[in-house]
Amino acid sequence: MAGRVRNLSPWASWMLQLAAVESADPCPIVSPHDLDAFHSWRERTHARLLEMLGPPPAPVPLELETLESEDVGTYRRDRIVFDVEATMSVPAYLLVPHARTAPGPAILAAHGHGAGKSDACDIDDGDPARRVVIDEQRADYAHQLAARGYVVLAPDLRCFGERADWQPEDHYHCDVNLVHAVMAGRNPLAQNLWDLGRALDVLGEHPLVDQNRVGMVGLSYGGTVTLFLAALDPRIVAAVVSGYFSSWKASHRMPWNMCGSQVLPGMLGALEHVDLGAMIAPRPLLIESGSDDDLFPVAVATQELSTLARVYEALGAADRLEHDAFEGGHRWNGTRAYPFLDRHLGHRPPSTPNGLATP
């Protein structure tokens, strides 16, 4: 038909379909006097999430090995490796404060897109460009937490750091990995969550870690896996999600925001950020949102958190949910995150912690 407007853009087609997405089973607005509907919803949502993740791999012994150790002022940095599948191992840095002599709080630190665990541990290998990224994103939160007296485990996620395979410059690691995973009936996000669950096993077996005082933190993609894993694994007592929490509708509209490691099949309309937060409740959760973060807009985070706050209030835990909406872009902030973790993990940091950056 002459004059008919036709769309030729796959991206535009997805955006038109996204605009029509409605939640099939949204998180209910609850009251303290009517929690039965919420608990029923949480059971359904947990089952949906497990179905999206697919069956886990067969567990294998960790076979943890320390490859090298280095004194980093107030703590020792061990480069370790442990097994998570018959065909996959995980390299990580384990940061152990010199002052730690008895079991105490620990943190699982998940890095974002970049150089991997080295960013989180403030290691630039003399590369000025990496130094700029670490400083601008304040990505060294594993180092900062170890300097505050926490035992910290910072693993490389798949396709990052020591787990990054060579790729042509026009190929992206996460997306290539998604292609292989789809052919094998697997999912990269599910694989990373499995690896991080085994990382919690590593922390739990450490003689200087109190298993009841383990937290998790992450920026960007690290925020993704922190939100998901905290929703799945009650061993995470407190979580800090930075530069991620908003909604799929908002974050999906940015063309370059999603990668092959951040998605699950059929999640649109079936699982939202606020749903994952509600699965964490009533455990402590802090969300960091930058005013200039176009990837995960602070206005959307604030709106979604208003629903999540009703859940925490109904569960008698209003003081365990915090939102640090700070001036800045897509980066870690830390201003409220460190005292938040100290409070909820029962930790008293050194009075003059060495090497801490000023938030």
Side-chain angles (χ1 to χ4, degrees), residues 15 18-22 247-254 268 272:
M15 291 302 96
L18 178 66
V21 170
E22 298 291 342
S247 74
W248 291 125
K249 273 197 173 184
S251 55
H252 192 24
R253 290 191 183 103
M254 185 67 72
L268 287 179
E272 261 298 354

Side-chain angles (χ1 to χ4, degrees), residues 85-330:
E85 295 185 51
T87 60
M88 177 59 70
S89 301
V90 175
Y93 283 127
L94 177 65
L95 315 180
V96 181
H98 295 313
R100 178 67 67 87
T101 58
I107 300 290
L108 177 59
H111 64 76
H113 286 82
K117 66 183 183 301
S118 295
D119 284 353
C121 294
D122 198 34
I123 302 171
D124 62 20
D125 292 325
D127 184 340
R130 283 178 59 188
R131 182 75 263 158
V132 169
V133 170
I134 293 172
D135 291 346
E136 288 184 347
Q137 295 186 357
R138 299 183 181 177
D140 63 340
Y141 38 85
H143 161 70
Q144 299 291 335
L145 286 159
R148 294 184 71 89
Y150 287 93
V151 171
V152 182
L153 182 62
D156 274 328
L157 301 174
R158 300 192 187 210
C159 302
F160 296 93
E162 295 183 75
R163 304 176 83 186
D165 297 305
W166 180 87
Q167 302 285 353
E169 290 187 4
D170 61 346
H171 284 57
Y172 189 55
H173 293 76
C174 290
D175 297 341
V176 172
N177 193 44
L178 177 63
V179 172
H180 293 294
V182 168
M183 289 192 292
R186 302 286 298 279
N187 177 272
L189 176 55
Q191 290 177 314
N192 275 323
L193 293 173
W194 171 262
D195 295 352
L196 290 165
R198 305 294 69 74
L200 288 176
D201 294 339
V202 171
L203 276 176
E205 292 181 4
H206 196 284
L208 294 178
V209 170
D210 181 345
Q211 297 182 30
N212 297 313
R213 298 163 69 188
V214 175
M216 184 172 179
V217 304
L219 166 67
S220 194
Y221 182 53
T224 304
V225 292
T226 298
L227 186 65
F228 271 90
L229 192 64
L232 286 164
D233 200 320
R235 291 178 295 175
I236 298 172
V237 175
V240 177
V241 174
S242 180
Y244 175 68
F245 189 95
S246 60
S247 74
W248 291 125
K249 273 197 173 184
S251 55
H252 192 24
R253 290 191 183 103
M254 185 67 72
W256 55 86
N257 195 16
M258 290 296 157
C259 76
S261 293
Q262 297 197 71
V263 296
L264 293 174
M267 67 185 185
L268 287 179
L271 185 73
E272 261 298 354
H273 294 197
V274 68
D275 298 337
L276 294 166
M279 292 170 67
I280 297 170
R283 285 171 287 146
L285 173 64
L286 183 144
I287 304 297
E288 288 191 345
S289 304
S291 60
D292 302 322
D293 188 346
D294 295 330
L295 303 179
F296 300 97
V298 64
V300 180
T302 301
Q303 177 182 334
E304 296 300 296
L305 279 166
S306 65
T307 297
L308 186 55
R310 294 285 297 274
V311 172
Y312 271 80
E313 289 168 4
L315 295 174
D319 61 338
R320 296 182 182 179
L321 177 66
E322 296 188 26
H323 187 202
D324 182 7
F326 62 90
E327 294 294 324
H330 188 67

